[in-house]
Amino acid sequence: PSEFAMAGGEAYELLFAIDPEAAPAFANDFAEQFDLGLSVVGEFTDRYTEVQIDGKIPESQGFDHFEA
């Protein structure tokens, strides 16, 4: 399932990168304005330089919509 999610290219979600301390208030404001909840799916760290899922580098690094 994770390979399909990374490389399928047919499902779209809106992602936000936000300061963790601001996230709860942002999520509440977003839910009130749009009647939609948000989920935390990961975090940016300086520990790794590549995408990892459950601590492993996936075979695919994602779908490239701009690839010729």
Side-chain angles (χ1 to χ4, degrees):
S2 61
E3 284 299 314
F4 180 74
M6 288 288 292
E10 294 299 321
Y12 299 91
E13 294 287 336
L14 184 59
L15 298 175
F16 297 93
I18 190 166
D19 182 322
E21 292 180 12
F26 180 84
N28 286 336
D29 292 346
F30 189 92
E32 286 180 15
Q33 185 169 353
F34 299 106
D35 195 28
L36 292 169
L38 298 178
S39 300
V40 174
V41 297
E43 65 182 304
F44 289 100
T45 70
D46 58 3
R47 188 170 166 197
Y48 300 107
T49 59
E50 69 279 322
V51 171
Q52 294 192 4
I53 298 176
D54 296 328
K56 299 175 187 164
I57 300 171
E59 287 183 32
S60 170
Q61 288 292 297
F63 185 83
D64 186 349
H65 293 277
F66 303 104
E67 187 176 291

mmCIF file of all heavy atoms in Angstrom, residues 43-52 54-57:
data_model
loop_
_atom_site.group_PDB
_atom_site.id
_atom_site.type_symbol
_atom_site.label_atom_id
_atom_site.label_comp_id
_atom_site.label_asym_id
_atom_site.label_seq_id
_atom_site.Cartn_x
_atom_site.Cartn_y
_atom_site.Cartn_z
ATOM 1 N N GLU A 43 7.199 14.683 10.015
ATOM 2 C CA GLU A 43 7.896 15.865 10.480
ATOM 3 C C GLU A 43 9.196 16.043 9.706
ATOM 4 O O GLU A 43 9.768 15.085 9.211
ATOM 5 C CB GLU A 43 8.188 15.768 11.975
ATOM 6 C CG GLU A 43 9.135 14.651 12.339
ATOM 7 C CD GLU A 43 9.358 14.551 13.835
ATOM 8 O OE1 GLU A 43 9.775 15.551 14.437
ATOM 9 O OE2 GLU A 43 9.110 13.471 14.376
ATOM 10 N N PHE A 44 9.630 17.288 9.613
ATOM 11 C CA PHE A 44 10.915 17.601 9.021
ATOM 12 C C PHE A 44 11.967 17.562 10.123
ATOM 13 O O PHE A 44 11.749 18.109 11.202
ATOM 14 C CB PHE A 44 10.915 19.011 8.406
ATOM 15 C CG PHE A 44 10.092 19.125 7.172
ATOM 16 C CD1 PHE A 44 8.822 19.663 7.219
ATOM 17 C CD2 PHE A 44 10.595 18.697 5.950
ATOM 18 C CE1 PHE A 44 8.057 19.779 6.080
ATOM 19 C CE2 PHE A 44 9.840 18.804 4.805
ATOM 20 C CZ PHE A 44 8.567 19.356 4.864
ATOM 21 N N THR A 45 13.065 16.891 9.858
ATOM 22 C CA THR A 45 14.172 16.865 10.799
ATOM 23 C C THR A 45 15.467 17.043 10.017
ATOM 24 O O THR A 45 15.488 16.950 8.791
ATOM 25 C CB THR A 45 14.243 15.532 11.570
ATOM 26 O OG1 THR A 45 14.647 14.496 10.676
ATOM 27 C CG2 THR A 45 12.915 15.173 12.216
ATOM 28 N N ASP A 46 16.568 17.273 10.726
ATOM 29 C CA ASP A 46 17.860 17.347 10.057
ATOM 30 C C ASP A 46 18.587 16.004 10.140
ATOM 31 O O ASP A 46 19.734 15.884 9.758
ATOM 32 C CB ASP A 46 18.724 18.463 10.650
ATOM 33 C CG ASP A 46 18.963 18.296 12.135
ATOM 34 O OD1 ASP A 46 18.517 17.291 12.721
ATOM 35 O OD2 ASP A 46 19.599 19.193 12.709
ATOM 36 N N ARG A 47 17.878 14.994 10.591
ATOM 37 C CA ARG A 47 18.482 13.675 10.781
ATOM 38 C C ARG A 47 18.618 12.884 9.479
ATOM 39 O O ARG A 47 19.553 12.133 9.301
ATOM 40 C CB ARG A 47 17.636 12.892 11.781
ATOM 41 C CG ARG A 47 18.231 11.607 12.211
ATOM 42 C CD ARG A 47 17.448 11.024 13.361
ATOM 43 N NE ARG A 47 17.824 9.638 13.556
ATOM 44 C CZ ARG A 47 17.130 8.775 14.237
ATOM 45 N NH1 ARG A 47 16.002 9.152 14.808
ATOM 46 N NH2 ARG A 47 17.529 7.548 14.373
ATOM 47 N N TYR A 48 17.682 13.038 8.563
ATOM 48 C CA TYR A 48 17.696 12.273 7.311
ATOM 49 C C TYR A 48 17.657 13.223 6.124
ATOM 50 O O TYR A 48 17.157 14.330 6.217
ATOM 51 C CB TYR A 48 16.494 11.325 7.224
ATOM 52 C CG TYR A 48 16.448 10.328 8.350
ATOM 53 C CD1 TYR A 48 15.519 10.449 9.367
ATOM 54 C CD2 TYR A 48 17.345 9.279 8.385
ATOM 55 C CE1 TYR A 48 15.481 9.533 10.407
ATOM 56 C CE2 TYR A 48 17.323 8.362 9.421
ATOM 57 C CZ TYR A 48 16.381 8.491 10.431
ATOM 58 O OH TYR A 48 16.343 7.589 11.452
ATOM 59 N N THR A 49 18.133 12.755 4.995
ATOM 60 C CA THR A 49 18.116 13.577 3.780
ATOM 61 C C THR A 49 17.201 13.012 2.718
ATOM 62 O O THR A 49 17.172 13.504 1.606
ATOM 63 C CB THR A 49 19.539 13.720 3.203
ATOM 64 O OG1 THR A 49 20.050 12.409 2.910
ATOM 65 C CG2 THR A 49 20.452 14.428 4.185
ATOM 66 N N GLU A 50 16.444 11.952 3.041
ATOM 67 C CA GLU A 50 15.534 11.358 2.078
ATOM 68 C C GLU A 50 14.203 11.039 2.751
ATOM 69 O O GLU A 50 14.098 11.049 3.964
ATOM 70 C CB GLU A 50 16.124 10.088 1.459
ATOM 71 C CG GLU A 50 16.250 8.925 2.420
ATOM 72 C CD GLU A 50 17.488 8.982 3.316
ATOM 73 O OE1 GLU A 50 18.558 9.395 2.863
ATOM 74 O OE2 GLU A 50 17.361 8.621 4.498
ATOM 75 N N VAL A 51 13.208 10.750 1.931
ATOM 76 C CA VAL A 51 11.905 10.356 2.449
ATOM 77 C C VAL A 51 12.019 8.974 3.079
ATOM 78 O O VAL A 51 12.658 8.082 2.528
ATOM 79 C CB VAL A 51 10.860 10.327 1.305
ATOM 80 C CG1 VAL A 51 9.553 9.709 1.762
ATOM 81 C CG2 VAL A 51 10.649 11.721 0.761
ATOM 82 N N GLN A 52 11.400 8.819 4.241
ATOM 83 C CA GLN A 52 11.339 7.520 4.890
ATOM 84 C C GLN A 52 9.912 7.250 5.343
ATOM 85 O O GLN A 52 9.198 8.167 5.736
ATOM 86 C CB GLN A 52 12.263 7.465 6.098
ATOM 87 C CG GLN A 52 13.717 7.561 5.719
ATOM 88 C CD GLN A 52 14.615 7.223 6.896
ATOM 89 O OE1 GLN A 52 14.165 6.854 7.979
ATOM 90 N NE2 GLN A 52 15.897 7.343 6.685
ATOM 91 N N ASP A 54 8.094 4.682 8.016
ATOM 92 C CA ASP A 54 8.358 3.735 9.104
ATOM 93 C C ASP A 54 9.850 3.406 9.205
ATOM 94 O O ASP A 54 10.236 2.261 9.424
ATOM 95 C CB ASP A 54 7.534 2.459 8.933
ATOM 96 C CG ASP A 54 6.043 2.711 9.037
ATOM 97 O OD1 ASP A 54 5.656 3.624 9.794
ATOM 98 O OD2 ASP A 54 5.271 2.008 8.364
ATOM 99 N N GLY A 55 10.696 4.424 9.017
ATOM 100 C CA GLY A 55 12.141 4.255 9.166
ATOM 101 C C GLY A 55 12.846 3.619 7.987
ATOM 102 O O GLY A 55 14.033 3.342 8.050
ATOM 103 N N LYS A 56 12.134 3.389 6.887
ATOM 104 C CA LYS A 56 12.741 2.750 5.712
ATOM 105 C C LYS A 56 12.593 3.651 4.497
ATOM 106 O O LYS A 56 11.583 4.340 4.350
ATOM 107 C CB LYS A 56 12.073 1.403 5.432
ATOM 108 C CG LYS A 56 12.225 0.419 6.557
ATOM 109 C CD LYS A 56 11.438 -0.844 6.276
ATOM 110 C CE LYS A 56 11.471 -1.743 7.501
ATOM 111 N NZ LYS A 56 10.463 -2.768 7.451
ATOM 112 N N ILE A 57 13.581 3.618 3.618
ATOM 113 C CA ILE A 57 13.508 4.380 2.374
ATOM 114 C C ILE A 57 12.662 3.579 1.387
ATOM 115 O O ILE A 57 12.999 2.434 1.068
ATOM 116 C CB ILE A 57 14.910 4.622 1.786
ATOM 117 C CG1 ILE A 57 15.765 5.399 2.787
ATOM 118 C CG2 ILE A 57 14.813 5.358 0.460
ATOM 119 C CD1 ILE A 57 17.226 5.488 2.396
#
